[in-house]
Amino acid sequence: MVQVQARIATHESKGVTLLLIGTALLYLLLFLGLPLFAVFYEAFRKGWELYWAALQEPDAWSAIKLTFIAAAIAVPANLVFGVAAAWVIAKFEFKGKSLLITLIDLPFAVSPVVSGLVYVLLFGAQGWFGEWLSAHDIKLIFAVPGIVLATIFVTFPFIARELIPLMQAQGKEEEEAAVSLGASGWQTFWRVTLPNIKWGLLYGVILCNARAMGEFGAVSVVSGHIRGMTNTLPLHVEILYNEYNFVAAFSVASLLALLALVTLLVKSLVEWQAKRSGEPLHHG
Amino acid sequence: MSITIEHLNKQFGSYRALNDINLEVNSGELIALLGPSGCGKTSLLRIIGGLDVADSGSLLFHGEDVQQRDARERNVGFVFQHYALFRRMTVFENVAFGLRVKPKKERPSDAEIKRRVHELLSLVQLDYLADRYPAQLSGGQRQRIALARALAVEPKILLLDEPFGALDAQVRKELRRWLRRLHDELHITSIFVTHDQEEALEVADRVVVMNKGVIEQVGTPDEIYATPASPFVYQFIGNVNLFHSRDHASWTGQHGDAVAYTRPHDIDISHVQQDATALPVEVKLVRAIGSVVRVEVSTQNSSELIEIELSRERFELAPLANGDKVFIRPRQIRVFETGAQHELSAA
């Protein structure tokens, strides 16, 4: 009698499976795990006291505050913009729609340094509007408003990009049903549209926030690196590192690494919740 | 509430969705808009409901122009093909939605809302599902909840877009009888869109047949079936045989270039030649389908196939077999000149 063993066409032998998993793990360890470990290792190398001291130093504090201010303005601004843009793109037909979608993607396509330079060109002392701005005593470049502007620019695709496919897939029938039942535009948005996109929106906010806090290139160009005034966390790390102050540099960097870990955790939680509530996310 | 539509036009880019539509819907009537996909029936329904705007023409509810009124101010219930239930709300909240969004002074109390919602859920026989979410319901249940939701605001007009289109055949049949009964109870002026002729003929008081943005015929189901006004209606409603005047001049009459239409069940078969107009044919296929027997015959000199339907009793009186030489003669035939025929072949 011949024994027929059931074999699934896509089934690999155990050795191949292990080899594939092993390669992936090794790769992750080498390029993600090791650097992350290095950040914390270097930060704590000279002990807790120096770590704390580096974080409590006034310039570091000011960088932390500025980073939070920039994110606290950029994220809500892009929240409003992202929802509005996704709403018009997904629910209405109009001329120039694909142009609008392309424009939303622009910050992804352009190098952040270039977008920073554009702001300098427009609003800097020698820029197009520089004279007018200085005549009215408004300082954008090498000041906090410029950093906020650059952060908004770099992060504005995140929320819109997350919502557009989601809202397009959901269609506009529910909104039409709400209107035919007598709901106003506002009521329709709050009661029907927003609950339908809440997980996607939260997901976009998390990504947007992570980028807003971590942005280096564009902010670096418009900041002017004035210590204690126009330095965000990433810029402060660079300055400390260039001064060979490694412990302080890695201590501040560890905050950013921590932020990334928290972001990942919250992101997974949101994904899990979204899946449970039947609202599959675009990037899933 | 009656609906009057006069000279209505709608264009999407270069595509003419509605072309000079005129229609009068009486108060309390149940009307079917019937036609193939892309004929403009859904556009017309959406314009009546205020979800789309016509380019020109007038739309009156009970003699009053409503074109400037928003969908939310028209007091029209709309039932969507894919239900469009609010997925984040329970069945109860879905039905209550129209009451909850009313301005504060018109809004009923919570107790009153509860009473009304349960009343409507009992009307659609789904009271036991109040706490479920739409995703937990079957298609037929969702459609009935959608209907209850539309009825909650006591609309004067009910519009239904392919209400049974996404359901399987058995549920469809059940639901359309149920819709007819419901309409007989409530007497709301109702318009439903369908591409299914059987559905339109079974449910509606009057049927509006549309094709390529134009109304081809308006009439009772009986009129539409028995006396189609155009070749298109003839072909769209039921099966039909075509006879060109060049081959069958005796049937099309004295017309120069014309096409004659006859239904498969309006043709007599005989083993002997009754008169000079009878056509000698050969039986090619005999197939019994349920209560009818379908016979395909072909003429001797051309290969054109003619379809004939006989009742089972009639067939058993004079059985036929493949290869039999017999004579056929139409009991009823309609002739359309070929000018009109052009439109048809383009469809």
Side-chain angles (χ1 to χ4, degrees), chain A residues 138-220:
Chain A
I138 302 171
K139 198 155 167 47
L140 292 182
I141 300 306
F142 305 143
V144 175
I147 291 172
V148 173
L149 276 181
T151 307
I152 289 178
F153 179 83
V154 171
T155 57
F156 85 60
F158 283 92
I159 293 172
R161 263 285 146 203
E162 188 58 42
L163 291 183
I164 290 166
L166 182 66
M167 287 171 100
Q168 274 175 336
Q170 288 179 347
K172 54 181 176 185
E173 274 203 336
E174 283 185 46
E175 276 84 3
E176 286 180 342
V179 169
S180 79
L181 288 167
S184 65
W186 229 182
Q187 285 172 319
T188 305
F189 178 74
W190 281 111
R191 288 167 179 261
V192 177
T193 307
L194 201 59
N196 279 351
I197 60 168
K198 64 179 176 209
W199 292 115
L201 189 61
L202 196 54
Y203 190 89
V205 165
I206 293 163
L207 293 183
C208 181
N209 182 60
R211 181 65 190 269
M213 290 188 168
E215 173 55 24
F216 181 83
V219 170
S220 170

Side-chain angles (χ1 to χ4, degrees), chain A residues 99-113:
Chain A
L99 183 73
L100 181 61
I101 297 175
T102 312
L103 281 177
I104 289 173
D105 279 340
L106 192 67
F108 278 163
V110 175
S111 158
V113 176

Side-chain angles (χ1 to χ4, degrees), chain B residues 287-329:
Chain B
R287 186 173 286 166
I289 302 161
S291 59
V292 298
V293 179
R294 194 164 291 165
V295 182
E296 272 178 28
V297 301
S298 76
T299 52
Q300 275 133 356
N301 46 6
S302 76
S303 60
E304 67 181 314
L305 280 177
I306 300 159
E307 207 179 277
I308 303 166
E309 264 176 31
L310 301 170
S311 71
R312 214 171 249 279
E313 291 81 10
R314 220 176 149 125
F315 177 81
E316 276 158 8
L317 283 178
L320 296 163
N322 290 356
D324 279 5
K325 301 265 195 288
V326 293
F327 297 90
I328 62 167
R329 202 180 53 171

Side-chain angles (χ1 to χ4, degrees), chain B residues 12-28:
Chain B
F12 292 109
S14 62
Y15 170 67
R16 199 129 196 221
L18 294 173
N19 189 358
D20 195 33
I21 297 291
N22 292 282
L23 183 64
E24 181 81 45
V25 180
N26 302 321
S27 196

Side-chain angles (χ1 to χ4, degrees), chain A residues 22-37:
Chain A
T23 313
L25 277 180
L26 193 73
Y27 194 85
L28 281 176
L29 203 69
L30 209 63
F31 289 98
L32 289 175
L34 203 61
L36 195 64
F37 172 76

Side-chain angles (χ1 to χ4, degrees), chain B residues 56-311:
Chain B
S56 64
S58 60
L59 169 64
L60 312 172
F61 287 178
H62 213 78
E64 197 184 332
D65 191 349
V66 292
Q67 291 236 75
Q68 300 309 314
R69 271 199 243 160
D70 242 17
R72 59 185 295 231
E73 293 159 350
R74 288 196 191 182
N75 206 359
V76 164
F78 208 103
V79 176
F80 295 82
Q81 182 176 6
H82 300 289
Y83 329 119
L85 292 176
F86 306 128
R87 67 194 91 188
R88 299 275 173 215
M89 298 181 202
T90 60
V91 164
F92 181 94
E93 285 303 322
N94 262 281
V95 179
F97 185 87
L99 302 171
R100 290 212 197 280
V101 296
K102 277 182 190 285
K104 207 153 200 163
K105 51 184 189 295
E106 292 170 37
R107 196 185 311 152
S109 68
D110 271 1
E112 173 65 11
I113 288 177
K114 197 166 172 190
R115 194 189 63 77
R116 289 265 289 280
V117 171
H118 282 294
E119 196 178 280
L120 282 159
L121 287 176
S122 325
L123 182 73
V124 299
Q125 298 151 5
L126 293 174
D127 207 8
Y128 63 101
L129 294 177
D131 297 327
R132 303 274 186 90
Y133 282 87
Q136 298 166 300
L137 308 182
S138 73
Q141 289 170 336
R142 283 182 213 181
Q143 195 55 287
R144 283 193 280 168
I145 297 299
L147 194 57
R149 180 179 70 176
L151 291 173
V153 288
E154 294 175 339
K156 296 282 182 291
I157 292 166
L158 191 59
L159 305 174
L160 306 104
D161 185 11
E162 298 262 3
F164 315 122
L167 304 170
D168 57 58
Q170 193 62 39
V171 183
R172 243 175 126 118
K173 266 198 163 147
E174 225 169 84
L175 263 187
R176 68 192 192 214
R177 283 196 199 116
W178 175 81
L179 176 71
R180 181 68 235 188
R181 279 203 307 276
L182 193 74
H183 181 264
D184 292 342
E185 269 175 49
L186 302 174
H187 286 295
I188 302 174
T189 309
S190 308
I191 304 180
F192 76 100
V193 156
T194 180
H195 63 266
D196 181 343
Q197 35 137 329
E198 205 185 311
E199 197 168 288
L201 298 183
E202 187 181 321
V203 177
D205 294 323
R206 284 196 300 154
V207 178
V208 178
V209 185
M210 293 183 67
N211 180 34
K212 290 154 88 190
V214 177
I215 291 182
E216 294 268 342
Q217 188 174 8
V218 182
T220 63
D222 208 39
E223 285 167 3
I224 298 278
Y225 189 81
T227 54
S230 68
F232 172 81
V233 180
Y234 234 118
Q235 289 218 316
F236 194 70
I237 313 276
N239 292 325
V240 72
N241 289 300
L242 274 70
F243 300 98
H244 280 273
S245 57
R246 56 176 181 273
D247 299 323
H248 304 284
S250 64
W251 286 1
T252 56
Q254 70 279 34
H255 294 76
D257 216 7
V259 180
Y261 291 79
T262 185
R263 301 270 189 221
H265 55 79
D266 280 336
I267 297 177
D268 276 336
I269 302 185
S270 169
H271 286 276
V272 293
Q273 183 163 21
Q274 305 100 317
D275 59 42
T277 65
L279 186 68
V281 293
E282 188 184 322
V283 176
K284 290 289 184 194
L285 187 77
V286 178
R287 186 173 286 166
I289 302 161
S291 59
V292 298
V293 179
R294 194 164 291 165
V295 182
E296 272 178 28
V297 301
S298 76
T299 52
Q300 275 133 356
N301 46 6
S302 76
S303 60
E304 67 181 314
L305 280 177
I306 300 159
E307 207 179 277
I308 303 166
E309 264 176 31
L310 301 170
S311 71

Side-chain angles (χ1 to χ4, degrees), chain A residues 26-77:
Chain A
L26 193 73
Y27 194 85
L28 281 176
L29 203 69
L30 209 63
F31 289 98
L32 289 175
L34 203 61
L36 195 64
F37 172 76
V39 168
F40 286 99
Y41 179 80
E42 288 292 330
F44 288 112
R45 203 153 77 143
K46 303 255 167 82
W48 274 99
E49 292 77 24
L50 277 179
Y51 180 80
W52 272 123
L55 293 186
Q56 278 164 342
E57 197 249 336
D59 289 350
W61 249 122
S62 132
I64 292 171
K65 273 191 284 186
L66 183 56
T67 299
F68 273 95
I69 288 170
I73 298 172
V75 174

